Amino acid sequence: MPFEYKTRVRLHQTDAAGILFYSKIFELAFDAYTEFLHAHGVGVGYIINTTEYRMPFVHAEADYLAPLTVDDLVTVVIRVEKIGETSFVLKYDLSTASQLVGRVKTVHVTVNKETGQKIPLPDAIRRGLQSALH
Amino acid sequence: MPFEYKTRVRLHQTDAAGILFYSKIFELAFDAYTEFLHAHGVGVGYIINTTEYRMPFVHAEADYLAPLTVDDLVTVVIRVEKIGETSFVLKYDLSTASQLVGRVKTVHVTVNKETGQKIPLPDAIRRGLQSALH
Amino acid sequence: MPFEYKTRVRLHQTDAAGILFYSKIFELAFDAYTEFLHAHGVGVGYIINTTEYRMPFVHAEADYLAPLTVDDLVTVVIRVEKIGETSFVLKYDLSTASQLVGRVKTVHVTVNKETGQKIPLPDAIRRGLQSALH
Amino acid sequence: MPFEYKTRVRLHQTDAAGILFYSKIFELAFDAYTEFLHAHGVGVGYIINTTEYRMPFVHAEADYLAPLTVDDLVTVVIRVEKIGETSFVLKYDLSTASQLVGRVKTVHVTVNKETGQKIPLPDAIRRGLQSALH
């Protein structure tokens, strides 16, 4: 079962053109990612405050299929696309009740927080991602 | 000469990991895009308030090459990558004084604001983009 | 029973100082306000898309009692402080499990969306606010 | 001469009601505050990355006098209202070419970054604020 996150489009995520501002799709995806990590036992705050690694984004992209507007109920479904030695790839489908409205893809690497050098995926992250594959 | 926009990374664009939050690179690109449009005689507000067309994003992507942090001075250089019948593509290079830190690409279509149907690029937009090619 | 809204502080609401960026407390309050309106049968999108009135903020203020950081679970409790002829006042207490961390107050007026002139509170709004008083 | 900061309202600072989202007035004020600090020789990044103190907001408030919309050119004028032992108060007037559109007030305390305990205003901050008084 892929991980699902449900949310409502907030007024502050829309703009004067009446729709979701384009960068905000990455906030919706990130909020889903945050809850996905928590569901697999790893909090963003935990990583930042207590570990020696970071998982920065090295690539992000979005396709916008239909406009979203204020109060739209959105379901974000996350799938683990790839688990590498020092990186992983996530895909997110965003839908309303009636249609697929957008797709997001993010690529992350794991690095030492001090040196910024790539390191193998920490066990907690690898386990979480692998359990999300099934 | 490509269009340049200079800005400073704001504290509210960073996060508790100490760097620019990933979605904010699209805000930096958008602020450059806004000034680029103004430099070519077309304001975002003008389009929204007085015209029958919109130029929604249908795709956006970013590559993150080096972290940005608060107070970093960033130069965004915009290049027109492609001018189609009903679409255009922009590329943005983001640099500090010492290095290239990110690349952004956005794809826009022109649509009728009521129907959402694709329409040919309005003359003002086509002229602005073409003058930016040279 | 006052209205309660629970949320988690997102990484993009924090900054490089490691805490909630000061303006984001107003986003947390607004998200609670949005759900409060929905609970009383009035959506923000409904107001914007179908009615002739708006409820702009004329004043907002916050007291910061303790720092919030990423992943903190926050409960926002909303109370209707005053219902006037053409205005209303809301108060929001923000707490974690262990302490009160902030207070927000917002003052709204009801105006005609075209003229911007003050108008009496629409019935749906007055009823919603009054039911929240008890 | 009070400190002035000029900016343009960005599309991502507006919402589907067509105006500046209420919390964004605090971003405009903060951007002015950032440049004000730089003008007095103290960067936000410098404070966060190299000093033992922080200057958290303990109170913030805004009065909204007229709506702002996308592309509006805004001038923010900052005045130092009060310099205390362990705190200071700033006031910000936001104007377009034609009118005063909003007022913001922020209250800051200086604290030790580890303990969170109040400390006297660091010399660099006191000097900067005092020079802004004249």
Side-chain angles (χ1 to χ4, degrees):
Chain A
M1 287 282 294
F3 182 81
E4 280 192 14
Y5 170 74
K6 291 173 185 296
T7 189
R8 197 195 289 279
V9 174
R10 301 300 184 190
L11 186 59
H12 47 82
Q13 294 172 325
T14 64
D15 64 33
I19 62 173
L20 188 82
F21 183 72
Y22 91 118
S23 74
K24 299 295 184 181
I25 200 170
F26 296 102
E27 270 189 29
L28 297 179
F30 187 84
D31 294 348
Y33 169 66
T34 299
E35 297 300 330
F36 167 83
L37 288 178
H38 274 285
H40 292 94
V42 197
V44 170
Y46 170 79
I47 294 173
I48 291 177
N49 294 320
T50 69
T51 77
E52 297 303 308
Y53 64 91
R54 294 288 180 271
M55 308 194 296
F57 294 79
V58 290
H59 180 78
E61 63 179 86
D63 291 301
Y64 305 84
L65 308 178
L68 283 169
T69 189
V70 57
D71 280 354
D72 279 350
L73 292 167
V74 180
T75 301
V76 185
V77 175
I78 299 189
R79 284 174 296 113
V80 177
E81 180 76 2
K82 187 183 165 195
I83 307 176
E85 270 312 296
T86 61
S87 67
F88 59 93
V89 181
L90 302 177
K91 289 200 170 176
Y92 314 67
D93 284 347
L94 291 85
S95 305
T96 58
S98 57
Q99 65 182 322
L100 183 67
V101 295
R103 287 192 207 96
V104 170
K105 176 182 167 181
T106 60
V107 183
H108 305 246
V109 292
T110 44
V111 301
N112 178 283
K113 81 168 178 176
E114 299 301 339
T115 66
Q117 296 301 302
K118 283 190 194 176
I119 55 170
L121 291 190
D123 285 348
I125 299 301
R126 183 173 296 278
R127 272 196 310 271
L129 294 171
Q130 280 173 337
S131 70
L133 278 175
H134 306 298
Chain B
M1 287 283 294
F3 182 81
E4 280 193 12
Y5 169 74
K6 292 175 185 293
T7 190
R8 196 194 291 278
V9 174
R10 301 300 185 191
L11 186 58
H12 47 83
Q13 295 172 324
T14 64
D15 63 34
I19 61 173
L20 188 81
F21 183 72
Y22 90 118
S23 74
K24 299 294 184 182
I25 200 171
F26 296 102
E27 270 188 29
L28 297 180
F30 187 84
D31 293 349
Y33 169 67
T34 298
E35 296 301 330
F36 168 82
L37 289 178
H38 273 285
H40 291 94
V42 197
V44 170
Y46 170 80
I47 294 174
I48 290 176
N49 294 320
T50 70
T51 77
E52 297 303 308
Y53 64 90
R54 294 287 180 272
M55 307 195 296
F57 294 79
V58 291
H59 180 79
E61 62 180 86
D63 290 301
Y64 305 84
L65 308 178
L68 282 168
T69 189
V70 58
D71 280 353
D72 279 351
L73 291 167
V74 180
T75 300
V76 185
V77 175
I78 300 189
R79 284 173 296 115
V80 178
E81 180 77 2
K82 188 184 166 196
I83 307 176
E85 271 311 296
T86 61
S87 67
F88 59 94
V89 180
L90 302 176
K91 289 200 172 176
Y92 314 68
D93 283 348
L94 291 86
S95 305
T96 58
S98 57
Q99 64 181 324
L100 183 67
V101 294
R103 288 193 206 95
V104 171
K105 176 183 168 181
T106 60
V107 183
H108 305 248
V109 293
T110 44
V111 301
N112 178 282
K113 81 167 177 177
E114 299 302 339
T115 66
Q117 295 301 301
K118 282 188 194 175
I119 56 171
L121 292 191
D123 284 348
I125 299 301
R126 183 173 297 277
R127 270 198 310 271
L129 294 171
Q130 281 173 336
S131 71
L133 278 175
H134 306 299
Chain C
M1 287 282 293
F3 182 81
E4 279 193 13
Y5 169 75
K6 291 175 185 294
T7 190
R8 196 194 291 279
V9 174
R10 302 300 184 190
L11 186 58
H12 47 84
Q13 295 171 325
T14 64
D15 64 33
I19 62 173
L20 188 81
F21 183 72
Y22 90 118
S23 74
K24 299 295 183 182
I25 201 171
F26 296 102
E27 271 189 28
L28 297 179
F30 188 84
D31 294 348
Y33 169 66
T34 298
E35 297 300 330
F36 167 82
L37 288 178
H38 274 285
H40 291 94
V42 197
V44 170
Y46 169 80
I47 294 173
I48 290 177
N49 294 319
T50 70
T51 76
E52 297 303 310
Y53 64 90
R54 294 287 179 272
M55 307 194 297
F57 294 79
V58 291
H59 180 78
E61 62 179 87
D63 291 301
Y64 306 84
L65 308 178
L68 282 169
T69 189
V70 58
D71 280 353
D72 279 351
L73 291 167
V74 180
T75 300
V76 184
V77 175
I78 300 188
R79 284 173 297 112
V80 178
E81 179 78 1
K82 187 184 165 194
I83 307 175
E85 271 311 296
T86 61
S87 67
F88 58 93
V89 180
L90 301 176
K91 288 201 172 175
Y92 316 67
D93 283 347
L94 291 87
S95 304
T96 58
S98 57
Q99 64 181 323
L100 183 68
V101 294
R103 288 194 206 94
V104 170
K105 176 183 168 181
T106 60
V107 183
H108 305 247
V109 293
T110 44
V111 301
N112 178 282
K113 82 167 176 177
E114 299 301 339
T115 65
Q117 295 301 301
K118 282 190 194 175
I119 56 171
L121 291 190
D123 285 348
I125 300 301
R126 183 173 297 278
R127 272 198 309 272
L129 294 171
Q130 281 174 337
S131 71
L133 278 175
H134 305 299
Chain D
M1 288 281 295
F3 182 81
E4 280 193 13
Y5 170 74
K6 291 174 184 295
T7 190
R8 197 194 290 279
V9 174
R10 301 300 184 191
L11 187 58
H12 47 83
Q13 295 172 324
T14 64
D15 64 34
I19 61 173
L20 188 82
F21 183 71
Y22 91 119
S23 73
K24 299 294 184 182
I25 200 170
F26 296 102
E27 270 189 30
L28 296 179
F30 187 84
D31 293 349
Y33 169 67
T34 298
E35 296 301 329
F36 167 82
L37 289 178
H38 274 285
H40 291 95
V42 197
V44 170
Y46 169 79
I47 294 173
I48 290 177
N49 294 320
T50 70
T51 76
E52 297 304 308
Y53 64 90
R54 294 287 180 271
M55 307 194 295
F57 294 79
V58 291
H59 180 79
E61 63 180 86
D63 291 299
Y64 305 84
L65 307 178
L68 282 169
T69 188
V70 57
D71 280 353
D72 279 350
L73 292 167
V74 180
T75 300
V76 185
V77 175
I78 300 189
R79 283 174 296 114
V80 177
E81 181 77 3
K82 188 185 166 195
I83 307 175
E85 271 310 297
T86 61
S87 67
F88 58 93
V89 181
L90 301 177
K91 290 200 169 176
Y92 315 67
D93 283 347
L94 291 86
S95 305
T96 58
S98 57
Q99 64 182 324
L100 183 68
V101 294
R103 287 192 207 95
V104 170
K105 176 182 167 181
T106 59
V107 183
H108 305 247
V109 292
T110 43
V111 301
N112 178 284
K113 80 167 179 178
E114 299 302 338
T115 65
Q117 296 300 301
K118 282 190 195 175
I119 55 170
L121 291 191
D123 284 348
I125 299 301
R126 183 174 296 279
R127 271 197 310 271
L129 294 170
Q130 279 172 337
S131 71
L133 278 175
H134 306 299

